[in-house]
Amino acid sequence: MAYKKKTREDYQKEVQDLTDKMEAQLASHFVSQESIKEHLDFMSRFHRYSTRNMLLIEEQFQGARAVGSYAYWEKQGVQVQKGEKGIKIFVPSPVTFIKRDTDWVAWKDATKTEQKRAQEGALPTRKAMYYKIGHVFEYTQTDAREKGLEVSELFASYHRNGSIREAESFRRALNGIAETQDVTLLEQPLNELGTAKGVLLSRAERDRTESAELGHRKCHRPDP
């Protein structure tokens, strides 16, 4: 069977379908406090990924523990099992444009002369971020277990005893969830907490408290 090259419209539909899945997955987390906590626990395992890619991974592979691209697994000496279907995610794809008269053309579509003049600063350029669809594979989709390789060993640089290593990345993701609820998370309270002069919480305690409050707000906030 001959391979049919995807058209621009095919790619646009695929991106839109993936976006719809992401939005549906996000909405599913605000059913209860418990669902939000489950999602935050999932996020703690995938803090290297953007919030929307976390949602896509979760939607396509419930219970995922660790994922990597085909090239990543190969680099670890691990092979993706034959017939396994990749998990779709959005991959950043920056594009440089060169000014041609009154139009902007992508670098790859510019002439060699235009590219040379742009490098020399003789032609204006600008950059734009686009996203293409890439694929990652979950740990259980590989032969890592058969080779005796555990997740903690393969992803040692990203995890430490099951805790969040990149706390700021997790914090940014938590803020992303808050924004969907029209909530701003503050580093410091605007007023005193009752009769207390202050409160000291560890980062983990603070994040757990805030995630619970987000769930509480959703459960008791009437729909518009």
Side-chain angles (χ1 to χ4, degrees), residues 22 52 56 75 140 155:
M22 175 195 69
R52 62 180 178 177
L56 288 173
K75 188 176 179 180
T140 57
F155 293 86

Side-chain angles (χ1 to χ4, degrees), residues 27-91:
S28 72
H29 294 305
F30 298 111
V31 176
S32 66
Q33 292 187 42
E34 189 59 35
S35 63
I36 291 180
K37 290 177 182 177
E38 289 176 2
H39 176 56
L40 292 175
D41 177 64
F42 185 89
M43 288 169 64
S44 72
R45 299 196 298 274
F46 293 92
H47 52 85
R48 291 188 303 126
Y49 290 87
S50 66
T51 302
R52 62 180 178 177
N53 278 338
M54 289 183 197
L55 290 165
L56 288 173
I57 293 169
E58 186 178 24
E59 192 276 335
Q60 296 170 78
F61 202 112
Q62 293 289 329
R65 295 171 58 197
V67 300
S69 66
Y70 192 93
Y72 172 83
W73 289 117
E74 274 196 330
K75 188 176 179 180
Q76 307 306 313
V78 173
Q79 185 64 47
V80 173
Q81 303 280 19
K82 186 176 180 180
E84 290 290 350
K85 185 178 180 181
I87 302 166
K88 294 181 180 180
I89 62 172
F90 288 116
V91 179

Side-chain angles (χ1 to χ4, degrees), residues 190-224:
L190 294 176
N191 303 298
E192 290 186 1
L193 302 174
T195 58
K197 298 299 181 183
V199 62
L200 176 64
L201 294 175
S202 69
R203 182 179 295 276
E205 289 171 330
R206 183 190 67 189
D207 287 345
R208 283 198 299 270
T209 299
E210 289 174 343
S211 63
E213 287 302 317
L214 289 176
H216 182 77
R217 178 182 175 85
K218 177 64 179 178
C219 290
H220 294 279
R221 182 180 181 182
D223 293 329

